[in-house]
Amino acid sequence: MELLQKATSVAMLIFVLSSMLAMGLGLTVSQIITPLRHARLVVLSLLANFVVMPLAALALAALLQLDQPLGVGLLLLGTAAGAPFLPKLAQIAQGNLAFAVGLMVLLMVVTVGYLPLVLPVLLPGVSVNPAKIARSLFLLMLLPLAGALAVKARFAVAAARTKPVLDRVSNLSLILLVLLITAANINNVLAVFGTHGILAGLLFIAMGFGIGWLLGGPGMDTRRVLALGTAQRNIAAALVVGSQSFRDPKVVVMVVVVAIVSLLVLMPLSRLLAKRG
């Protein structure tokens, strides 16, 4: 069991770092900044992801009477926005890809500063270390992203060759991470099926999609992106905080379970949006 836990930590580290490096190697600073000049859409995006979604997580946890660790896991997802997978979903759904890239980076950067500030307020009965959360997110997410952006700007050819490798590493490490967490916490994973945890995850995803759709502006291409971007949460950030700030493994298990459910729901939904034109 101890070996499984160590392997899980290594897989998580590889997943987070490879996701951030791959993202940075595929972007330029202008790609990130240009779509964010629409001030109203940016404000609504921040409101949806950092005000409405955390409140939705708290409301669902109370309404469905989730066990505290499961509620904490849902709240972590509610406060962690900026999923690296968003541009892929936007591409499948034929949404505004430039807006998807800019929105993803904006939400991820805000998440790094937002989580350490808001979690102690939303979880008064739970002990969290804001400085530790901020340090972990900065070192594991922002620093690799900034370094990869610098490499992309200076060595574009090398970045283009390296990115597909990191994409594969990120995808494989996520699959391995899910399997290792399931194996190391099999009883806790099975226990989620006896609670309202999966129902809470489904409702949470549906609420995120609906909120993003309503606030996504008049353009169908941006509406699709914000709907998918609000429903798909930042798994990497939630896992970093969940594994380092909470001892109960059910917190991380809830994050993983909802993350799996979201991918199973949002991938076919993206294809359906594309078919609807």
Side-chain angles (χ1 to χ4, degrees), residues 24 27-36 101-102 105 146 149-150 152-153:
L27 299 174
T28 63
V29 175
S30 62
Q31 282 179 305
I32 296 170
I33 293 175
T34 302
L36 300 179
V101 170
V105 177
L149 283 169
K152 164 74 172 177

Side-chain angles (χ1 to χ4, degrees), residues 8 12 24 28 31 39 56 63 66 87 93 101 103 105 119 140 154 157 165 183 212 218 223 253 262 265:
T8 301
M12 187 180 304
T28 63
Q31 282 179 305
L63 181 65
L66 295 181
V101 170
L103 178 67
V105 177
L119 279 183
L140 294 177
R154 192 172 180 85
V157 175
V165 177
R223 180 173 288 185
V253 167
S262 70
V265 170

Side-chain angles (χ1 to χ4, degrees), residues 44-51 53-54 78-79 81 107 226 229-230 233:
L44 290 175
S45 300
L46 294 174
L47 177 68
N49 281 275
F50 296 112
V51 178
M53 288 306 286
T79 52
L107 295 179
L226 188 55
T230 307
R233 311 308 291 166

Side-chain angles (χ1 to χ4, degrees), residues 39-275:
R40 182 176 180 273
L41 191 55
V42 169
V43 171
L44 290 175
S45 300
L46 294 174
L47 177 68
N49 281 275
F50 296 112
V51 178
V52 182
M53 288 306 286
L55 292 176
L58 289 172
L60 284 172
L63 181 65
L64 299 176
Q65 298 181 338
L66 295 181
D67 292 343
Q68 187 187 51
L70 301 183
V72 170
L74 192 65
L75 180 60
L76 285 181
L77 288 166
T79 52
F85 203 55
L86 174 58
K88 185 64 177 178
L89 290 175
Q91 185 179 31
I92 294 171
Q94 297 181 4
N96 186 323
L97 193 56
F99 176 58
V101 170
L103 178 67
M104 170 192 64
V105 177
L106 172 68
L107 295 179
M108 192 197 70
V109 172
V110 174
T111 292
V112 174
Y114 176 79
L115 272 173
L117 295 176
V118 78
L119 279 183
V121 177
L122 296 179
L123 298 172
V126 177
S127 176
V128 294
N129 187 330
K132 184 178 179 180
I133 293 172
R135 183 171 63 251
S136 297
L137 293 175
F138 176 78
L139 292 175
L140 294 177
M141 300 190 75
L142 278 191
L143 201 58
L145 176 64
L149 283 169
V151 170
K152 164 74 172 177
R154 192 172 180 85
F155 307 104
V157 175
R161 291 175 179 172
T162 307
K163 185 182 184 303
V165 177
L166 287 170
D167 282 331
R168 285 194 290 271
V169 171
S170 175
N171 293 335
L172 291 173
S173 60
L174 176 58
I175 295 170
L176 179 61
L177 178 61
V178 170
L179 293 175
L180 287 171
I181 289 177
T182 302
N185 302 279
I186 186 65
N187 291 331
N188 291 324
V189 172
L190 292 175
V192 172
F193 288 88
T195 68
H196 292 116
I198 294 179
L199 175 60
L202 286 169
L203 292 174
F204 181 69
I205 294 162
M207 291 174 71
F209 187 89
I211 291 162
W213 187 270
L214 289 173
L215 299 181
M220 193 61 68
D221 57 342
T222 56
R223 180 173 288 185
R224 291 176 181 180
V225 170
L226 188 55
L228 292 168
T230 307
Q232 176 68 44
R233 311 308 291 166
N234 192 328
I235 303 167
L239 285 175
V240 168
V241 176
S243 62
Q244 296 189 3
S245 299
F246 301 95
R247 293 182 179 179
D248 195 321
K250 290 181 181 179
V251 174
V252 171
V253 167
M254 182 62 175
V255 171
V256 170
V257 168
V258 177
I260 294 170
V261 171
S262 70
L263 289 176
L264 292 175
V265 170
L266 295 177
M267 282 291 288
L269 182 57
S270 298
R271 293 190 176 96
L272 180 62
L273 289 172
K275 286 181 180 180

Side-chain angles (χ1 to χ4, degrees), residues 14-26:
I14 293 173
F15 165 62
V16 175
L17 288 177
S18 59
S19 297
M20 295 303 105
L21 290 172
M23 187 191 305
L25 292 179

